[in-house]
Amino acid sequence: MGVMAALSDPIRVGLVRVLADGQERGWGELRAPVAKSTLSHHLKVLRDAGLTRTRQEGTRCFVVLRREELQARYPGLLPAVLAAAEDEDVGHQVAVSPSLQESSL
Amino acid sequence: MGVMAALSDPIRVGLVRVLADGQERGWGELRAPVAKSTLSHHLKVLRDAGLTRTRQEGTRCFVVLRREELQARYPGLLPAVLAAAEDEDVGHQVAVSPSLQESSL
DNA sequence: TAGCTTGTTCGATGTTTCACGAACATCGAA
DNA sequence: TTCGATGTTCGTGAAACATCGAACAAGCTA
């Protein structure tokens, strides 16, 4: 699946939106109105499209948006997509909320 | 269908690529490896997504990319999409070739 | 009017994608 | 080693999408 196709799903745009600040996030922080298997699927699509990178640490995973690589390869794409998402009110169903483990680090 | 979804199909990206110079093109100039009903469908999707404008003149139609509106609403999106298309080698199946009527204008 | 051209609409079909729950794999902790 | 937490994979069903050919509508032209 190409970059554009990856960015054409509301949940995935929401994930990108949440990751847009460049902060690494834990799986557990991601709040999306889908089953965990579905979330796993979407994160795999984003990964395969080269939009994110995943780091494993023990049993837990962390995602980060590959901002620099994206800016290098598709200059301006990310801001444009985020602006379009705002404009079309897409992606607001996804949020971050600190998991218990995270907050005690 | 949103802007991103509209841009996630290879044929449609090809059409945008071909229209990218801002030149108005006739239906008949558009060469894509699909049936005319399918081409009509894709052009409708682009139109509905606000990417193109269609003008009718007698029985014939002309399309043009809405470059300024796009730049205003989603700054940088179009160049980024075109760059991504180049990079992923998407959209090259669509071309323009002058129709007989066009060439005699 | 009859016929040709151009593009749209319709109905059917096959593919892809999204979504879920269940089963599985892996790692750390008890 | 047993348990609990965390993601992934699998099987399945539903919805969306791409595609085609045929039928249709509208407008020139003979």
Side-chain angles (χ1 to χ4, degrees):
Chain A
M1 196 182 294
V3 176
M4 286 301 146
L7 289 171
S8 68
D9 180 272
I11 299 280
R12 289 195 291 266
V13 171
L15 291 168
V16 169
R17 223 175 67 86
V18 151
L19 294 168
D21 62 2
Q23 275 267 314
E24 186 181 62
R25 303 289 183 178
W27 247 232
E29 288 182 274
L30 271 21
R31 299 275 172 268
V34 291
K36 68 173 184 175
S37 58
T38 304
L39 184 58
S40 181
H41 161 68
H42 284 307
L43 287 165
K44 175 174 167 53
V45 172
L46 289 176
R47 209 185 316 135
D48 290 351
L51 288 164
T52 61
R53 190 197 326 282
T54 290
R55 182 172 63 86
Q56 191 135 11
E57 194 180 306
T59 73
R60 309 182 53 207
C61 285
F62 298 88
V63 227
V64 66
L65 196 61
R66 302 174 64 177
R67 303 215 299 173
E68 281 153 36
E69 293 96 322
L70 285 172
Q71 175 61 24
R73 193 178 284 258
Y74 315 119
L77 178 60
L78 216 51
V81 167
L82 294 174
E86 287 306 313
D87 195 84
E88 299 181 351
D89 202 40
V90 165
H92 287 259
Q93 40 193 334
V94 179
V96 277
S97 72
S99 63
L100 292 176
Q101 290 89 336
E102 244 67 50
S103 59
S104 60
L105 288 184
Chain B
M1 195 182 290
V3 176
M4 286 303 147
L7 290 171
S8 69
D9 180 90
I11 299 280
R12 289 196 291 266
V13 171
L15 290 168
V16 169
R17 221 175 70 86
V18 150
L19 295 169
D21 62 2
Q23 274 268 313
E24 186 182 61
R25 301 291 184 177
W27 246 232
E29 287 181 275
L30 272 20
R31 300 274 173 269
V34 292
K36 68 171 182 173
S37 57
T38 305
L39 183 59
S40 181
H41 161 67
H42 284 308
L43 287 165
K44 175 174 166 55
V45 171
L46 290 176
R47 209 185 315 135
D48 290 351
L51 288 163
T52 62
R53 190 197 326 282
T54 289
R55 181 172 65 86
Q56 193 134 9
E57 192 179 308
T59 74
R60 309 182 53 208
C61 285
F62 298 87
V63 227
V64 66
L65 196 62
R66 303 174 65 175
R67 302 214 301 172
E68 281 151 37
E69 294 96 323
L70 284 172
Q71 175 61 25
R73 194 179 285 260
Y74 314 119
L77 178 61
L78 214 51
V81 167
L82 294 174
E86 286 308 313
D87 195 85
E88 298 181 350
D89 202 41
V90 165
H92 287 259
Q93 41 193 333
V94 178
V96 278
S97 71
S99 62
L100 291 176
Q101 289 92 335
E102 244 69 50
S103 58
S104 60
L105 288 182

